[in-house]
Structures are given as C-alpha cells and as structure tokens.
C-alpha cells in the first residue's frame, strides 16, 4: 500500500488531471490503440484506473485492474473489474489475459529482483501470444540528474514541477534501487521470459512491448 502522503501528492489537483489528459496519446504511442477490442486486458498497478477508462472509451470490453492501494474511483459499476492485490502474486489463473499493461509503475516494484518476480507473474497470467506493454522512466544520467536536483530542493516553489518533486521524494525508497540497478532491470525486461517486440526510447520515458511466444 502506498502511504497517505504519497497518495495526497500523486492525486493532487490540478496536476493529476493534467497527467491524466496525456494518457490517450501515450497509450497510442505504446501501440494499445491497435489492439483487438475483444482482448482480455489486465492493467497492473492501475491506480485510480486512468488507463482502463481510456481503453473503455476506445471500445475495449474485457477490462480488469489490479492495485495494492484501493482508490475511491473504483466504482462497482465502472468500466472495469478492479482487484486489490500484489502484482508479485496475482490473484488470476495461468493464461488469463491477452494483454497486460503497466504504466508509470515499474519503478514502484523495487530493483531488478522485484521486476524479475513481476515479469514472471505477467508471463504466467498471459495467454500464449499475449502482449505486455510498459511505460516508465529509464535509469538514464538525465533522469538521475533531474531527480537528484529535486532531492536537493532545486525546484520551483509552486506548479507541476513542484508537485512532481514531491512525488519523487515520496517514492525515493523504491525509486532509488530501481534507478541504481537500471542495467539489471533493463536485462530483466529485455532478456527475461518475454520477447521484445518494440521499444521507443524518449528523453524521459521508454515505451516497451513484450510478447509471450
Ligand atoms: C504511480 S502509480 C501509477 C498508477 C497508474 N498506473 C497510472 O498510470 O495512473 C503506481 C501504482 O502502483 C501501485 N503499486 C505499487 N506496488 C504495487 C504492488 N506490489 N502491487 C500492486 N500495485 C502496486 C501503487 O499502489 C500505485 O497505485
């Protein structure tokens, strides 16, 4: 479960809504808009359910979410069935999903060992031929520099960068091992049980599609 202070920083308005508005374009860049609308989809670390509602708007019908921290937006009559649970031990049978997604959350799962255990679980719940889509920060020198500046208090006094710096601070206990172990984290992603189908590397984010052959 994320702390109350993490939740209040992460879901602070208007920054949460501003972040939300960017999701359709990011998810399209990832390749999700090209997927079959009847696919069984699991969004891991789904948070309040932003990605699930975008996919619902695009016409996807079999939507499931999983997150350790419950959110008030998980309405019983919402577009997806959302479960509370840990992505390292998912409450789903083998071969349940055509698509698994993990957006802006891999850095919550610790270093390389946490990512390895998660990828093994994704491999288990995916059907043969299933796809795993990820967006997150790479452990690049630019990201380290930016986050170190935030940690040193170098950010504007107000605004979205100030909010982002507060989130980085709240996440530091697991973000630091993820960034420090980045080469090993990348190895777990690129040379684990799933095959790399595409990788788009941007300045601050990577967009990765893996496939279960
Ligand atoms: C930065 S938020 C991203 C939420 C959502 N994917 C989005 O893009 O809005 C990360 C989420 O990961 C969840 N999380 C962290 N560790 C988890 C775990 N081991 N199992 C399930 N969820 C986890 C947190 O509760 C949080 O909601």
């Amino acid at each position: 479960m994320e702390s109350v202070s993490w939740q209040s920083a992460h879901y602070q308005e208007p920054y949460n809504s501003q972040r939300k508005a960017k999701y359709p374009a990011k998810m399209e860049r990832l390749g999700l808009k090209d997927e079959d609308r009847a696919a069984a989809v699991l969004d891991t670390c789904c948070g309040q359910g932003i990605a699930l509602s975008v996919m619902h708007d695009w016409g996807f019908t079999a939507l499931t979410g999983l997150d350790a921290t419950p959110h008030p937006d998980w309405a019983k009559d919402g577009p997806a069935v959302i479960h509370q649970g840990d992505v390292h031990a998912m409450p789903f049978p083998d071969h349940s999903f055509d698509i698994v997604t993990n957006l802006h959350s891999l850095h919550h799962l610790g270093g390389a060992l946490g990512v390895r255990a998660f990828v093994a679980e994704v491999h288990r719940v995916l059907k043969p031929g299933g796809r795993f889509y990820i967006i997150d920060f790479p452990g690049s020198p630019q990201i380290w520099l930016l986050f170190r500046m935030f940690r040193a208090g170098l950010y504007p006094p107000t605004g979205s960068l100030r909010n982002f710096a507060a989130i980085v601070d709240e996440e530091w206990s697991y973000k630091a091992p993820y960034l420090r172990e980045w080469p090993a984290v990348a190895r777990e992603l690129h040379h684990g049980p799933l095959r790399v189908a595409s990788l788009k590397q941007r300045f601050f984010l990577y967009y990765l599609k893996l496939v279960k052959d």
Side-chain angles (χ1 to χ4, degrees):
M1 288 260 290
E2 299 299 337
S3 64
V4 171
S5 49
W6 177 88
Q7 292 180 60
S8 81
H10 191 263
Y11 294 118
Q12 189 184 342
E13 291 297 352
Y15 313 115
N16 186 46
S17 293
Q18 290 167 1
R19 227 183 351 258
K20 221 165 160 173
K22 297 179 182 158
Y23 271 64
K26 286 182 175 177
M27 290 168 64
E28 190 169 352
R29 190 171 305 139
L30 189 57
L32 282 166
K33 207 170 184 181
D34 302 330
E35 283 285 359
D36 178 2
R37 297 305 188 256
V41 179
L42 170 65
D43 185 28
T44 57
C45 300
C46 64
Q48 69 190 126
I50 299 173
L52 292 164
S53 66
V54 170
M55 293 187 84
H56 173 72
D57 292 346
W58 286 349
F60 286 85
T61 52
L63 295 168
T64 303
L66 177 68
D67 199 288
T69 311
H71 191 279
D73 285 4
W74 295 0
K76 286 203 171 32
D77 54 354
V81 179
I82 304 188
H83 302 255
Q84 184 179 1
D86 184 357
V87 297
H88 295 110
M90 299 201 232
F92 309 112
D94 298 356
H95 307 159
S96 296
F97 299 99
D98 301 295
I99 295 172
V100 175
T101 56
N102 187 265
L103 306 186
H104 295 290
S105 303
L106 206 70
H107 63 274
H108 282 246
L109 305 181
L113 288 180
V115 170
R116 178 186 296 179
F118 173 50
V119 174
E121 266 301 82
V122 172
H123 182 266
R124 183 183 69 73
V125 302
L126 272 177
K127 298 178 189 175
R131 284 81 66 201
F132 179 29
Y133 291 94
I134 304 168
I135 303 177
D136 209 350
F137 306 110
S140 61
Q142 295 89 341
I143 292 280
W144 261 112
L145 181 64
L146 180 71
F147 291 173
R148 285 284 176 198
M149 284 167 57
F150 286 165
R151 295 279 293 164
L154 297 172
Y155 46 73
T158 56
S160 59
L161 270 184
R162 170 71 190 95
N163 173 253
F164 188 47
I167 295 171
V168 169
D169 228 29
E170 290 295 333
E171 296 184 342
W172 198 243
S173 63
Y174 41 82
K175 209 168 215 158
Y178 169 88
L179 296 176
R180 203 170 39 238
E181 296 176 20
W182 172 252
V185 170
R187 259 196 313 280
E188 295 300 336
L189 296 173
H190 295 177
H191 303 289
L194 300 164
R195 175 175 56 82
V196 175
S198 74
L199 171 63
K200 292 174 189 155
Q201 185 91 41
R202 295 289 193 272
F203 195 56
F204 286 118
L205 294 174
Y206 61 88
Y207 296 75
L208 178 62
K209 175 183 179 183
L210 303 174
V211 173
K212 176 171 174 175
D213 286 322

